[in-house]
Amino acid sequence: VSTQSTGTLMSALGKNTKKLLDIVKQKLQEKANKKQAEKQSNYFKNVLPFYGLTSKAVSTVFKDIYMTHVHPEPLESIIDFASTLIKEKHFEEKQIGVLILNRNVKQLKPKIIPRFAELFDQTGINNWGICDSFSSKVLTEMIKNNEETSELIQSWKNSDYLWRQRASCISFVRLAKYGKYNDIIFDISSTCIRNKERFVQLGTGWLLRELGLADEAGVIQFIKDNYHHFSREGLRYAIEKMSEKKRKQLLLFNPEILKSESKKRKRRDT
């Protein structure tokens, strides 16, 4: 695309954002299912509204919008429009924003991460469904494409925002089993497991479950060392793929006995 045509395209998308947003909403409304929307909203504890589309229907709308109105706009304009969608109210609007970013993920550089953090901090990403979708479809792929991204996402473990802290876990879930990011994952987990909020606990448990495929001994030791921080549900997530024997041992584990045995050993050594 020439410099001149790039400028024209950028101006076109920038000036027509509201119009294109209305087109997205119209296409979603045409496929809306009120009864299904109520079920979906209830499943998400009514934290956001739905149009009631299936995943396949959302994908169809995305492809139509993307090929007709978005491609081949300049990357910056595409990111702007995707971010606008993610800030909208309905789940399907947010999901189309995620799909647009996923389609362009190979072009996304680590410097965009602080901007993505704002989508979490400004409540654009305000539920586990979009959090997990954004994490796996955008952030995970960015980590795979550029190592620098992994450290930037790792720092999200310290976020005061629930969904950004959960994202620091979910972004590594699909990568954990390869054993490449063990140190980063244990570091993220050591912070996130101290958050008693359910979705952070489950995100941490899910991440440890996958890491156990690469370093089961390390995960077992981590669980024992941090046992009092785990919710019962988070613990069950973490041990789900272990043998029945190991699951029972960890469910019945008593850290006080371990402390007592450690004290006895120290007394014998002195």
Side-chain angles (χ1 to χ4, degrees):
V1 180
S2 67
T3 303
Q4 182 177 358
S5 61
T6 299
T8 302
L9 286 168
M10 186 179 297
S11 175
L13 185 55
K15 290 180 179 178
N16 293 303
T17 296
K18 186 179 184 304
K19 181 179 178 181
L20 183 51
L21 189 60
D22 288 341
I23 292 173
V24 173
K25 291 175 182 289
Q26 180 183 344
K27 289 184 177 296
L28 290 171
Q29 190 61 55
E30 289 171 357
K31 296 178 180 293
N33 182 319
K34 186 176 180 180
K35 186 174 182 180
Q36 186 64 22
E38 291 177 356
K39 289 181 179 179
Q40 292 170 330
S41 186
N42 288 338
Y43 182 70
F44 276 78
K45 308 299 182 184
N46 298 305
V47 298
L48 79 169
F50 285 74
Y51 286 100
L53 273 68
T54 63
S55 296
K56 184 177 180 179
V58 172
S59 180
T60 299
V61 174
F62 154 69
K63 290 175 182 177
D64 183 12
I65 291 294
Y66 189 81
M67 298 310 298
T68 305
H69 301 282
V70 179
H71 178 76
E73 294 279 4
L75 181 62
E76 187 63 30
S77 297
I78 291 173
I79 294 171
D80 284 344
F81 183 60
S83 299
T84 296
L85 283 168
I86 291 172
K87 292 175 184 176
E88 287 298 307
K89 293 191 303 182
H90 286 75
F91 180 91
E92 293 90 343
E93 294 159 354
K94 294 176 184 291
Q95 183 66 357
I96 290 175
V98 172
L99 292 173
I100 289 173
L101 291 175
N102 173 260
R103 179 63 66 91
N104 293 273
V105 75
K106 290 183 178 180
Q107 300 180 65
L108 300 177
K109 305 301 180 184
K111 65 181 180 180
I112 197 68
I113 293 299
R115 184 172 172 185
F116 286 163
E118 294 176 0
L119 293 175
F120 288 87
D121 301 352
Q122 296 174 0
T123 70
I125 298 175
N126 60 359
N127 63 88
W128 65 263
I130 295 300
C131 173
D132 293 2
S133 179
F134 189 94
S135 298
S136 61
K137 294 181 183 298
V138 180
L139 300 179
T140 299
E141 295 303 314
M142 289 184 67
I143 292 170
K144 288 162 63 177
N145 294 336
N146 192 312
E147 288 294 316
E148 185 182 342
T149 306
S150 63
E151 295 181 1
L152 294 172
I153 301 302
Q154 179 184 6
S155 70
W156 286 13
K157 69 187 177 71
N158 298 313
S159 175
D160 292 330
Y161 294 91
L162 156 64
W163 300 116
R164 183 143 68 96
Q165 196 174 45
R166 178 177 167 95
S168 72
C169 296
I170 306 304
S171 298
F172 287 93
V173 164
R174 283 172 39 214
L175 305 173
K177 64 181 179 181
Y178 299 110
K180 184 178 180 180
Y181 298 98
N182 294 21
D183 290 343
I184 289 177
I185 291 171
F186 279 127
D187 180 63
I188 291 171
S189 299
S190 66
T191 297
C192 290
I193 198 61
R194 296 172 186 271
N195 188 337
K196 297 301 182 184
E197 206 289 326
R198 179 174 181 251
F199 286 105
V200 178
Q201 281 279 325
L202 298 188
T204 308
W206 187 7
L207 179 58
L208 290 170
R209 183 189 75 186
E210 297 306 307
L211 181 59
L213 298 176
D215 184 8
E216 185 176 75
V219 170
I220 289 174
Q221 190 59 53
F222 179 90
I223 291 173
K224 290 180 177 179
D225 292 342
N226 295 274
Y227 202 81
H228 59 292
H229 292 304
F230 278 87
S231 68
R232 209 63 179 167
E233 192 176 17
L235 176 60
R236 289 184 183 278
Y237 263 55
I239 64 177
E240 185 178 0
K241 291 187 176 180
M242 295 181 186
S243 67
E244 183 178 0
K245 180 180 179 180
K246 289 175 181 176
R247 290 200 306 271
K248 287 182 177 179
Q249 287 175 342
L250 288 170
L251 286 170
L252 297 172
F253 178 72
N254 186 340
E256 295 305 318
I257 293 177
L258 197 65
K259 288 180 182 179
S260 176
E261 291 176 349
S262 177
K263 289 179 180 179
K264 288 178 181 179
R265 284 196 299 271
K266 286 181 180 180
R267 283 197 295 267
R268 286 198 301 266
D269 295 337
T270 56

